[in-house]
Amino acid sequence: DNTKFFNNLAKNVDDIQKRHANQHIPQIIGAMEMYEATVKKGTPEVYYFDIAQNFWKMVVSRYAYSIGGVGTGEKFTDPYQQANSIAGTTNCETCAAYNLLKLTKMLNNYDPDNAEYMDYYERTLYNQILASQTPNVTSDMHNGTTYMLPIGPGSTRSYGGDYDSFSCCHGTGMENHVKYQEAAYAKTEDTLYVGLYLPTTLTWEEKGVKVVQETNFPSDSTKLTVSALEGKTAQEFTMKLRVPYWATKGFDVKVNGTAQNIKAETSSYVTLEGIKAGDVIEITMPW
């Protein structure tokens, strides 16, 4: 444990300013691992959960830029001073975003009804992680990834080559692009949470169902098709759909072609009861 850092965060005291971002974010992931281990043991140490939750709330509200990334020159800056901390090409270290998403996923599993977690995840995944790889291939760079993702006016991205870039950001930078789907869904015993709208396939063994999500990225509509798993008895379940923070022009849902009477508030989840194999859910959320 980083005792001073952890004790302050457990008391909801901001001890983040000026710290090295990607040295400390994994420590918070470690705190969540400690909490999960004590939960499994039957003696939950809430101290560790409080550290992680308080850290996440502070970072997202006080230190994150609009793309979801953090830091200037690898370090957290002054709280609430993001605009004053934009510095050419040295903002938003890629693996800091990678680790913040890992932490966000872990926290979301404990409170999936809090749409702020997946609002942040979506914002960072789409604006920083997707943008951190180049489709260009040259003789010495195959789909290079970024170290920093610059946000300074007029700045441009640079990408690591095959044999000249061995930083942590290029290690996690390769991981990022094979796991877009990993946080798209969360579940409780009877409820499936749809947190991200991107092409995905979910297999839910306990319920005997498969859910396939189809959408062209980027798109303001998506379709979820539920089918039975072969050899399994498909069971009904509740589906909750995230209404993104940006969906201010409406959020419409149809089940098997029938419009649903839902009250969709931004940054929340809407509930569909009695979803079963054979159902098709269509969502429209204009930008």
Side-chain angles (χ1 to χ4, degrees), residues 30-206:
M32 279 299 293
E33 295 277 6
M34 287 291 290
Y35 177 66
E36 290 178 351
T38 59
V39 168
K40 290 177 182 176
K41 191 179 177 181
T43 55
E45 294 189 35
V46 181
Y47 167 80
Y48 289 107
F49 183 85
D50 290 344
I51 289 166
Q53 187 179 58
N54 291 342
F55 175 86
W56 187 90
K57 288 179 178 178
M58 289 176 194
V59 167
V60 171
S61 64
R62 303 177 188 183
Y63 294 94
Y65 298 101
S66 61
I67 66 168
V70 297
T72 300
E74 296 192 2
K75 289 187 177 182
F76 285 109
T77 54
D78 298 323
Y80 306 114
Q81 297 290 318
Q82 289 94 326
N84 290 339
S85 301
I86 293 173
T89 59
T90 60
N91 292 116
C92 300
E93 185 184 3
T94 304
C95 52
Y98 163 95
N99 278 315
L100 280 170
L101 291 187
K102 186 179 287 188
L103 174 62
T104 304
K105 177 190 172 187
M106 296 173 83
L107 286 165
N108 183 68
N109 286 336
Y110 284 94
D111 188 12
D113 282 298
N114 183 354
E116 290 182 9
Y117 287 127
M118 296 314 295
D119 276 347
Y120 172 77
Y121 198 104
E122 176 187 65
R123 182 157 60 97
T124 309
L125 176 67
Y126 292 174
N127 289 296
Q128 175 150 11
I129 300 302
L130 283 179
S132 69
Q133 184 185 48
T134 175
N136 298 325
V137 173
T138 65
S139 60
D140 61 353
M141 184 183 70
H142 293 72
N143 305 105
T145 57
T146 56
Y147 163 35
M148 301 283 182
L149 202 135
I151 56 174
S155 59
T156 58
R157 284 165 280 178
S158 61
Y159 303 93
D162 295 346
Y163 301 106
D164 61 0
S165 302
F166 297 100
S167 73
C168 60
C169 287
H170 295 99
T172 56
M174 289 187 287
E175 277 188 51
N176 281 325
H177 306 288
V178 295
K179 62 177 192 175
Y180 296 139
Q181 300 187 20
E182 74 167 7
Y185 304 94
K187 67 179 175 67
T188 60
E189 187 175 347
D190 294 306
T191 302
L192 178 69
Y193 291 80
V194 180
L196 295 176
Y197 299 103
L198 72 171
T200 45
T201 298
L202 170 84
T203 300
W204 194 356
E205 293 280 352
E206 295 89 343

Side-chain angles (χ1 to χ4, degrees), residues 216-237:
N216 293 318
F217 178 83
S219 174
D220 54 8
S221 64
T222 193
K223 181 173 76 171
L224 297 143
T225 302
V226 184
S227 59
L229 287 176
E230 188 175 349
K232 298 276 189 178
T233 301
Q235 301 175 39
E236 289 189 359
F237 61 95

